[in-house]
């Protein structure tokens, strides 16, 4: 059937086609009797023997016209009823014929079918997207109805309960062992043994409403697995760094030791054997010292104690750290009197590391390093400014053992970040906007 359901235009005062068909058909049913009456009035009564046949003929013709009108009226209604029944059954592909006797009613049904078909397509696409999204989540997702019966679960939820989907649907939260989670606070972290997994989980639940009925959304996230994965990656990074640094030191040590052993096996010894031995032992000593410093730096990161909070004057702390730098004078800008609760030894060490980096980055001639402090809202800011080349463009500046300086350990900035975060503060290192150089900033809470 045609799918074009554009309404047929109708002029003002024009009778709809279906109503006209009913009216004219009703008049047509009465036409045989009216014609017989007109004939009697015009020509008089027929001969007696023709009265009965004439009456029967009028009745038969009237019955035939009535049946014809009945079919004309009922069949369009059947068509409309079939369209509505198809919509009720969810079949939105049927359409009424354009220009049918039902007129605007058929057009309205066609537009309704098109709208329902479009909405069904959008619903199916949304449902498919939702199912794919739930399947891609690492968290277990459960949806319960108002009776706390399970209506939706993703694959991770099936794995957590170690059951097939058809066995989970319709089961109550109590039967699944999840009722206690729904009765608990909306956000909690627990250690629990589920049928499919045991560990530490973050549990969240929230109310839902669909179709005028209430429900409950439950999300269970295995935080222990995430932490274990992060721990595994941290160990891998640490082992790569340690292996790289240890090999860098052991390789020349082993090579020089082999060279000295070969030299010592010569008989007689060459005239310059003392100088060769002295050079070789010097190389071994330097590499062993570098390896010792590297391991000491790692130990300082691993054994950093908790801060011993005391009342600290930032002005005195900044001036003391600035006076320790000898390669380049550090200009201390006077600021407001500012006191914070902090561990003075740790904050001083963090400031020393930033000042040392700034002094080393400043040029030998015309080098300028400044330190200043101020209060900004509820935090204290300490800034170290230099006129060196600026920080390298890298996201790894505060990653342990990452360095761009020859002979650097990569410990300084990592230690600064660890110290400031232990004080509930932070650190940043960016390029200056007003001139060439770097701007290092430490912030600490005040009050």
């Amino acid at each position: 059937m045609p799918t074009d359901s554009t309404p047929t235009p109708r002029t003002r005062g024009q009778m709809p086609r279906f109503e006209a068909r009913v009216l004219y058909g009703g008049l047509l049913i009465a036409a045989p009797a009216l014609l017989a009456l007109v004939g009697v009035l015009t020509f008089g009564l027929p001969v007696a023997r023709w009265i009965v046949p004439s009456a029967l003929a009028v009745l038969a013709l009237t019955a035939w016209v009535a049946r014809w009108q009945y079919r004309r009226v009922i069949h369009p209604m059947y068509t409309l009823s079939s369209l509505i029944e198809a919509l009720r059954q969810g079949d939105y592909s049927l359409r009424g014929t354009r220009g049918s006797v039902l007129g605007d009613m058929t057009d309205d049904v066609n537009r309704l079918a098109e709208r329902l078909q479009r909405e069904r397509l959008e619903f199916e696409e949304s449902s498919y997207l939702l199912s794919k999204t739930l399947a891609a989540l690492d968290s277990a997702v459960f949806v319960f109805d108002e009776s706390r019966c399970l209506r939706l679960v993703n694959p991770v939820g099936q794995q957590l309960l170690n059951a097939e989907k058809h066995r989970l649907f319709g089961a109550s939260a109590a039967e699944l062992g999840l009722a206690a989670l729904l009765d608990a606070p909306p956000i909690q972290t627990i250690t629990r043994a589920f049928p499919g997994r045991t560990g530490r989980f973050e549990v969240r639940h929230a109310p839902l409403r669909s179709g005028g009925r209430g429900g409950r959304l439950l999300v269970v996230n295995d935080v222990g697995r995430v932490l274990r994965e992060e721990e595994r990656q941290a160990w891998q990074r640490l082992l790569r760094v340690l292996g790289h640094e240890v090999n860098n030191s052991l390789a020349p040590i082993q090579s020089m030791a082999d060279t000295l052993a070969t030299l010592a096996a010569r008989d007689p010894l060459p005239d310059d054997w003392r100088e060769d031995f002295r050079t070789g032992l010097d190389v071994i000593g330097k590499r062993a010292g570098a390896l010792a410093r590297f391991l000491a730096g790692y130990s300082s990161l691993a054994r950093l104690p908790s801060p011993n909070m005391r009342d600290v004057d930032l002005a005195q702390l900044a001036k003391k750290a600035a006076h320790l730098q000898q390669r380049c004078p550090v200009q201390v800008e006077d600021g407001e009197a500012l006191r914070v609760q902090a561990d003075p030894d740790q904050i001083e060490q963090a400031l020393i590391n930033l000042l040392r980096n700034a002094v080393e980055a400043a040029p030998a001639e015309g080098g300028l390093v400044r330190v200043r402090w101020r209060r900004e809202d509820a935090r204290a800011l300490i800034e170290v400014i230099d006129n060196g080349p600026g920080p390298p463009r890298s996201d790894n500046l505060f990653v342990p053992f990452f360095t761009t300086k020859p002979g650097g350990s990569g410990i300084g900035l990592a230690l600064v970040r660890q110290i400031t975060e232990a004080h509930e503060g932070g650190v940043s290192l960016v390029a200056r906007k007003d001139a060439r150089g770097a701007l290092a900033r430490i912030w600490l809470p005040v009050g």
Side-chain angles (χ1 to χ4, degrees):
M1 287 184 286
T3 58
D4 187 358
S5 58
T6 304
T8 303
R10 188 175 73 243
T11 59
R12 183 183 300 272
Q14 179 182 356
M15 183 179 296
R17 293 182 57 191
F18 185 71
E19 296 178 12
R21 174 175 289 196
V22 173
L23 175 62
Y24 298 147
L27 295 176
L28 192 59
I29 293 175
L34 292 175
L35 290 176
L37 179 60
V38 171
V40 169
L41 295 177
T42 304
F43 302 105
L45 292 173
V47 181
R49 67 173 181 271
W50 295 105
I51 292 178
V52 174
S54 298
L56 293 175
V58 170
L59 290 175
L61 183 58
T62 300
W64 182 85
V65 174
R67 179 171 177 78
W68 172 78
Q69 173 64 5
Y70 172 81
R71 292 171 62 87
R72 294 181 70 211
V73 173
I74 293 300
H75 282 189
M77 300 299 296
Y78 283 162
T79 301
L80 181 61
S81 177
S82 298
L83 288 174
I84 296 176
E85 178 64 18
L87 295 181
R88 191 179 69 84
Q89 296 293 336
D91 183 2
Y92 307 135
S93 61
L94 296 181
R95 300 288 187 274
T97 304
R98 179 180 176 181
S100 64
V101 294
L102 292 176
D104 293 343
M105 185 177 295
T106 302
D107 294 330
D108 291 339
V109 173
N110 287 342
R111 287 195 293 272
L112 176 61
E114 291 177 355
R115 178 178 176 181
L116 292 175
Q117 188 176 35
R118 183 170 59 253
E119 290 180 351
R120 167 185 275 185
L121 179 60
E122 293 175 354
F123 174 77
E124 291 177 350
E125 291 176 347
S126 299
S127 299
Y128 180 77
L129 177 61
L130 176 61
S131 64
K132 290 297 183 182
T133 302
L134 291 178
L137 292 178
D138 293 332
S139 302
V141 179
F142 305 91
V143 176
F144 296 91
D145 60 16
E146 57 185 357
S147 301
R148 287 198 171 186
C149 293
L150 187 66
R151 296 304 176 196
L152 179 65
V153 61
N154 67 338
V156 179
Q158 294 176 232
Q159 298 173 6
L160 189 67
L161 298 180
N162 194 26
E164 297 294 333
K165 184 182 295 186
H166 67 275
R167 294 187 178 181
L168 297 177
F169 280 144
S172 66
E175 294 172 343
L176 299 175
L178 303 177
L181 302 182
L182 295 176
D183 296 330
I187 302 176
Q188 61 173 331
T189 302
I190 61 174
T191 301
R192 180 175 175 135
F194 288 96
R197 191 180 305 161
T198 301
R200 188 168 179 81
F201 301 90
E202 181 188 50
V203 181
R204 296 172 178 258
H205 61 86
L208 293 177
R209 194 156 192 87
S210 177
R213 296 182 177 181
R216 208 76 187 170
L217 171 67
L218 176 65
V219 179
V220 181
N221 186 30
D222 187 355
V223 295
R225 182 172 60 85
V226 176
L227 293 177
R228 288 192 299 271
E229 178 63 21
E230 290 292 333
E231 182 181 9
R232 183 185 64 83
Q233 294 181 4
W235 276 109
Q236 288 180 345
R237 290 193 296 267
L238 176 60
L239 291 176
R240 283 199 302 268
V241 171
L242 290 176
H244 175 73
E245 293 296 331
V246 171
N247 286 333
N248 283 347
S249 295
L250 291 182
I253 289 176
Q254 182 179 2
S255 176
M256 187 57 62
D258 292 340
T259 301
L260 294 179
T262 302
L263 182 62
R266 295 175 60 181
D267 189 19
L269 291 175
D271 296 337
D272 58 349
W273 69 271
R274 294 180 183 275
E275 183 65 26
D276 291 340
F277 267 80
R278 187 181 298 107
T279 302
L281 292 176
D282 184 58
V283 171
I284 293 175
K286 288 182 178 180
R287 294 311 306 169
L291 182 58
R293 288 191 299 272
F294 170 80
L295 294 178
Y298 169 74
S299 298
S300 65
L301 282 177
R303 296 198 304 266
L304 183 68
S306 299
N308 182 17
M309 298 296 193
R310 299 201 300 272
D311 189 60
V312 178
D313 185 348
L314 286 186
Q316 294 181 0
L317 193 69
K319 293 176 181 179
K320 181 179 178 182
H323 292 158
L324 295 177
Q325 305 302 320
Q326 301 298 325
R327 178 179 177 272
C328 173
V330 176
Q331 178 182 345
V332 180
E333 298 184 4
D334 292 332
E336 61 180 304
L338 193 55
R339 307 185 73 88
V340 296
Q341 290 294 318
D343 186 322
D345 295 333
Q346 291 189 9
I347 297 300
E348 182 181 0
Q349 183 61 51
L351 191 55
I352 288 173
N353 287 350
L354 294 182
L355 288 170
R356 182 186 300 118
N357 287 344
V359 168
E360 292 177 353
E365 295 183 3
L368 177 62
V369 177
R370 293 178 292 155
V371 59
R372 63 191 181 189
W373 61 90
R374 71 177 187 276
R375 178 168 182 160
E376 185 178 87
D377 297 329
R379 63 181 188 175
L381 295 182
I382 308 175
E383 296 179 336
V384 176
I385 307 167
D386 66 67
N387 61 345
R393 295 182 178 180
S394 175
D395 296 330
N396 300 320
L397 294 178
F398 296 94
V399 175
F401 314 116
F402 174 83
T403 181
T404 58
K405 297 186 297 184
S409 64
I411 298 297
L413 289 179
L415 183 61
V416 173
R417 184 176 69 172
Q418 189 170 348
I419 290 174
T420 55
E421 289 181 351
H423 285 74
E424 298 183 359
V427 60
S428 65
L429 178 62
V430 297
R432 293 175 57 182
K433 296 181 179 180
D434 58 338
R436 185 171 179 264
L439 169 62
R441 178 179 293 163
I442 289 177
W443 60 88
L444 301 170
V446 177

